Amino acid sequence: MTSTAVPKSIEIAIIGAGVVGLATALRLAGEGREVLLIDPNEPGSGASFGNAGTIAEYACMPVGNPGVLRALPKLLLDPDSPFSLRWAALFQLAPWLVRFVRQSLPAATRANALALAGLLAEALPAWGEMVQEAGLQDLMRRNGCLYVYRRDSDFAASAVGRALRAELGVHQEVLTADQVEALEPALADAATQGLYFPDSINVSDPKAVMAGLAAAAAARGVQFMRASVNGLAAGAGGIGLSGPDLAITAQKVVIAAGAHSRALAAQAGDRIPLDTERGYHLEFPTAAPLLNRPVCPVDLGFYMTPMDGRLRVAGTVELGGLKAPPNPRRLALLDRGVRQFFPDLGQPSSKWLGLRPSLPDSRPVIGPSTKSQNVLYAFGHGHLGLTLAPITARWVAGFIAGRDMPSAADFAAARFG
């Protein structure tokens, strides 16, 4: 989707047409703004397309927490663990890992969970508004999400997270093995206990959702441009954006380029400790749904999500930067894991690697740069890009309009000092 005539100047340019950029463009256009959305690829074709499809309003526990910290040496040394490291990238990742360890201490974990819970509390209402505006109702599934525990020790280890979610008002239900089987008959004898999040929503086809958002934005007057932005500089006439065959001046710029946002933020004057969690998915064609909702086997660290005509197996974390090719060992790990539940699956029809924009404290950066109110950040959502896209869009629109945004400091670039 590309506009035929792109202006040399624009009111608002959004860099990045993933789900956050699309949602922000739709929101700003709905408020009467002139918007240009710039991305070198098809809108919504990156991590926004390949994720587990879960709108996870319950996911306030940061990736870095005391449980992960205790297990970190074992996790990083085991290439088949749900949390792995490409050792060739260790030098590059070392500063991020140091910050991650600090953010995994109890006090930091609690502060990060509180901040995320406040943002997540508005996720479902914000999604409800966007679904109505973009006509996405037929792509939403309201069957909740299920964690399954296959070992009593794993369930015991989840006690801190369960207690904190309960304190923060997250709707969760502890299930017996029989209750898990009642929800998911295909998982008979697969779990000792479960944790059910009944309010969660999932999408039946993330690609179709992205196409719907792009179409709704275009109908609102948003212009699209396929281009790479390599340069960003403030000038007397606005913010200049440059790249191959690109020279545009915008009154305001929103950086929503996901895992590719760090270099642009640096040009805007902020050193953001953004790095990349590489996530994978496999898809298997299914004649009928094997599951009724997204299911996460906690010990394996991935989601099994029923989608239109297929089962998507997505997740795990691989720290390894932007440029390394897909790791076949990670894809094989997903394949072996899902066959523990569904041994008769055929060969996968799709294999995919995506790049999650990850910050050590698991909080996105939302709001103006520390140097200019005319450059706004909307990136670093980690595993929650799909979930937080519409509420991020609401915040960005609020900042641009000069509205007071509560809790803005929790997600500000200035927190990295």
Side-chain angles (χ1 to χ4, degrees):
M1 178 180 293
T2 306
S3 297
T4 55
V6 177
K8 294 296 183 182
S9 62
I10 197 80
E11 182 185 5
I12 301 171
I14 300 174
I15 307 171
V19 65
V20 173
L22 287 167
T24 302
L26 181 61
R27 179 82 188 199
L28 289 170
E31 295 193 4
R33 303 289 185 174
E34 181 190 33
V35 180
L36 173 65
L37 193 53
I38 308 171
D39 196 293
N41 302 305
E42 188 69 21
S45 59
S48 301
F49 147 77
N51 56 59
T54 302
I55 299 169
E57 92 298 339
Y58 54 85
C60 61
M61 280 299 291
V63 175
N65 59 69
V68 168
L69 184 58
R70 285 192 296 272
L72 194 59
K74 179 179 182 299
L75 289 171
L76 292 181
L77 291 171
D78 179 0
D80 289 338
S81 80
F83 193 112
S84 70
L85 171 69
R86 290 182 74 98
W87 289 100
L90 180 59
F91 180 77
Q92 169 198 330
L93 287 166
W96 188 95
L97 286 167
V98 169
R99 286 179 178 264
F100 180 81
V101 167
R102 290 174 180 164
Q103 293 297 323
S104 299
L105 296 172
T109 296
R110 181 175 180 81
N112 293 332
L114 286 168
L116 284 171
L119 200 58
L120 287 163
E122 298 298 319
L124 292 182
W127 257 101
E129 291 178 11
M130 193 167 73
V131 164
Q132 292 296 320
E133 184 169 1
L136 304 175
Q137 295 89 336
D138 292 344
L139 297 168
M140 300 293 118
R141 303 289 180 266
R142 300 177 183 275
N143 294 326
C145 177
L146 179 63
Y147 283 5
V148 294
Y149 299 87
R150 301 193 294 170
R151 300 181 297 231
D152 290 338
S153 58
D154 289 331
F155 183 74
S158 74
V160 172
R162 284 184 280 121
L164 187 52
R165 281 191 294 266
E167 178 187 340
L168 297 176
V170 174
H171 189 185
Q172 57 184 355
E173 300 174 7
V174 174
L175 305 182
T176 65
D178 289 342
Q179 290 171 323
V180 169
E181 182 179 348
L183 282 179
E184 296 292 350
L187 299 182
D189 302 320
T192 61
Q193 286 186 283
L195 191 63
Y196 181 44
F197 303 101
D199 298 334
S200 176
I201 298 171
N202 67 286
V203 303
S204 62
D205 190 331
K207 184 177 181 179
V209 170
M210 299 308 120
L213 289 175
R220 285 279 194 179
V222 173
Q223 300 180 72
F224 292 77
M225 184 179 186
R226 291 282 288 272
S228 296
V229 179
N230 299 331
L232 182 152
I239 308 298
L241 302 179
S242 59
D245 301 317
L246 172 70
I248 291 172
T249 300
Q251 295 175 30
K252 294 186 183 293
V253 169
V254 180
I255 299 175
H260 301 278
S261 299
R262 182 173 63 184
L264 291 167
Q267 292 184 54
D270 289 303
R271 297 184 63 182
I272 308 294
L274 182 75
D275 223 296
T276 307
E277 291 182 33
R278 297 151 53 87
Y280 293 82
H281 90 212
L282 295 175
E283 288 189 341
F284 299 88
T286 56
L290 300 177
L291 296 167
N292 297 314
R293 57 187 52 79
V295 173
C296 174
V298 171
D299 60 307
L300 297 176
F302 60 68
Y303 279 76
M304 303 180 291
T305 303
M307 295 187 176
D308 286 345
R310 64 205 191 274
L311 179 71
R312 177 175 289 184
V313 185
T316 75
V317 170
E318 182 188 46
L319 301 175
L322 293 168
K323 296 181 179 179
N327 183 349
R329 186 160 190 160
R330 305 304 293 174
L331 292 166
L333 182 68
L334 292 178
D335 192 81
R336 290 196 306 273
V338 70
R339 292 181 193 280
Q340 294 180 38
F341 301 91
F342 302 109
D344 297 328
L345 286 172
Q347 292 302 305
S349 57
S350 173
K351 299 179 180 181
W352 175 87
L353 162 67
L355 305 172
R356 303 186 195 100
S358 182
L359 288 158
D361 58 6
S362 293
R363 304 185 209 174
V365 182
I366 309 172
S369 81
T370 60
K371 307 300 182 185
S372 172
Q373 294 293 309
N374 294 325
V375 177
L376 294 104
Y377 300 141
F379 61 80
H381 294 75
H383 298 250
L384 296 173
L386 185 68
T387 301
L388 293 175
I391 191 62
T392 299
R394 184 189 294 175
W395 276 45
V396 170
F399 282 117
I400 289 175
R403 296 191 285 269
D404 182 35
M405 306 306 297
S407 305
D410 290 338
F411 302 95
R415 74 184 191 265
F416 300 112

